[in-house]
Amino acid sequence: MKKIGIIGYGWLGERLASSLSGKYTLATTTTTESKVNLLNNKGIHAVMASFPDYQLTEPLSQWGEVKNMEVLIITIPVSEKSCCVSSLYNRIQNLSAFIGDFKGQMFLMSSTGVYPDIAKEFTEEDVPLEKISGERMLRNKYPQLNILRLGGLMGDNRLLKNYNVGNLDHAVNHIHYADISRIISEMIKQKSESKLYNVTAPVHPAKSQVINAQKNLLDEEEFEVKGKKVLSSKLVSELNYTFQYPDPRTFHL
């Protein structure tokens, strides 16, 4: 059974672990001791680890489990939006000390937030990873790194109707967590390396249409859907992938 490491057992990390647990042996990191105990009781080897934005007086020790892993999934944020470039550099140095010279298959959960907020259909070529500091720094250290630019994470308790949103006539770029798990599984199977993919459901309704569907309300007359659309056509083509949840209007069903 392949061993997979998940760095960051948050909302997405938990759902990835749940989906992958039957097929793989899992190890993960979390930031609280109570969660470590909970996970170890569930059969997931967990350690406490955090990756601060400052230089540590002593570098982090390498994760003991990492030498046995074939796959590593990084879900912690490495974007400039959460910190400046120098802080980002420190965070990635701390992360690199923890995982060492890992040679196995690697995945970084990045974001479609890298694309500017303009009315356009975006592909990966529009914003190459060299222009995104976190993606570039990690790919330079780990050339095999697969980068998945995830749309808005949805499914389970995450429904658009629960949020206070503006620009209701703008398109959504959402992804159901179940599709993220399936895409990672497919890439593991295909031994994908050094890939950059947008990961968004292929249908891009307006926010109001998604909210109405979740509230079981009928849409009013047709209107033009505005805003940016981030396309996942490269992923579909290269992996021959079919989405389980292609339309955000049905994520709640």
Side-chain angles (χ1 to χ4, degrees):
M1 209 183 249
K2 275 191 178 179
K3 185 155 200 173
I4 292 184
I6 298 174
I7 293 184
Y9 192 85
W11 189 89
L12 179 60
E14 181 181 354
R15 281 153 184 79
L16 292 177
S18 176
S19 165
L20 299 167
S21 63
K23 297 168 273 187
Y24 305 97
T25 305
L26 297 178
T28 189
T29 72
T30 182
T31 52
T32 63
E33 191 139 358
S34 57
K35 229 176 187 183
V36 168
N37 297 332
L38 192 73
L39 289 167
N40 283 319
N41 290 338
K42 284 170 74 172
I44 298 173
H45 185 278
V47 295
M48 230 169 95
S50 59
F51 309 96
D53 297 340
Y54 50 85
Q55 204 167 354
L56 297 169
T57 47
E58 284 187 31
L60 285 173
S61 302
Q62 189 174 320
W63 195 7
E65 294 287 304
V66 84
K67 61 184 181 297
N68 303 316
M69 287 173 194
E70 290 157 279
V71 181
L72 196 55
I73 301 168
I74 300 165
T75 74
I76 62 165
V78 289
S79 71
E80 286 170 63
K81 285 192 175 175
S82 58
C83 54
C84 62
V85 176
S86 58
S87 298
L88 191 58
Y89 174 80
N90 290 333
R91 179 181 294 183
I92 287 172
Q93 289 298 103
N94 292 329
L95 175 63
S96 302
F98 186 69
I99 60 180
D101 187 20
F102 185 74
K103 299 289 190 206
Q105 203 177 16
M106 282 182 83
F107 296 87
L108 171 67
M109 303 298 105
S110 187
S111 165
T112 55
V114 302
Y115 298 105
D117 206 6
I118 54 175
K120 175 179 157 50
E121 291 190 337
F122 285 98
T123 68
E124 293 82 355
E125 286 67 39
D126 289 307
V127 180
L129 69 92
E130 290 77 19
K131 290 189 174 178
I132 306 301
S133 301
E135 293 181 356
R136 183 184 69 247
M137 289 178 200
L138 265 177
R139 177 66 76 79
N140 285 345
K141 282 185 177 289
Y142 304 100
Q144 78 274 30
L145 181 73
N146 294 303
I147 298 166
L148 303 185
R149 290 176 175 169
L150 306 180
L153 301 177
M154 293 289 164
D156 278 356
N157 56 337
R158 285 202 179 185
L159 297 173
L160 198 60
K161 70 175 183 179
N162 299 333
Y163 297 86
N164 185 17
V165 295
N167 298 326
L168 290 172
D169 56 351
H170 281 49
V172 299
N173 295 284
H174 286 171
I175 182 68
H176 195 289
Y177 69 85
D179 275 305
I180 302 171
S181 298
R182 291 175 76 236
I183 287 161
I184 291 172
S185 293
E186 187 57 37
M187 291 177 75
I188 291 171
K189 197 165 83 180
Q190 295 193 23
K191 298 182 167 59
S192 303
E193 289 202 335
S194 311
K195 299 292 187 184
L196 171 65
Y197 291 138
N198 294 332
V199 183
T200 55
V203 181
H204 300 268
K207 295 175 189 176
S208 64
Q209 294 172 318
V210 175
I211 291 167
N212 285 344
Q214 291 170 357
K215 290 182 172 179
N216 208 18
L217 298 172
L218 286 175
D219 276 319
E220 293 174 20
E221 70 276 4
E222 289 293 308
F223 61 89
E224 183 195 351
V225 179
K226 298 176 182 172
K228 74 176 177 184
K229 294 180 182 177
V230 180
L231 306 182
S232 55
S233 37
K234 181 184 172 192
L235 174 152
V236 170
S237 160
E238 291 190 7
L239 296 180
N240 193 24
Y241 184 73
T242 303
F243 280 81
Q244 183 179 345
Y245 292 94
D247 188 340
R249 286 170 292 196
T250 64
F251 280 10
H252 62 294
L253 300 177

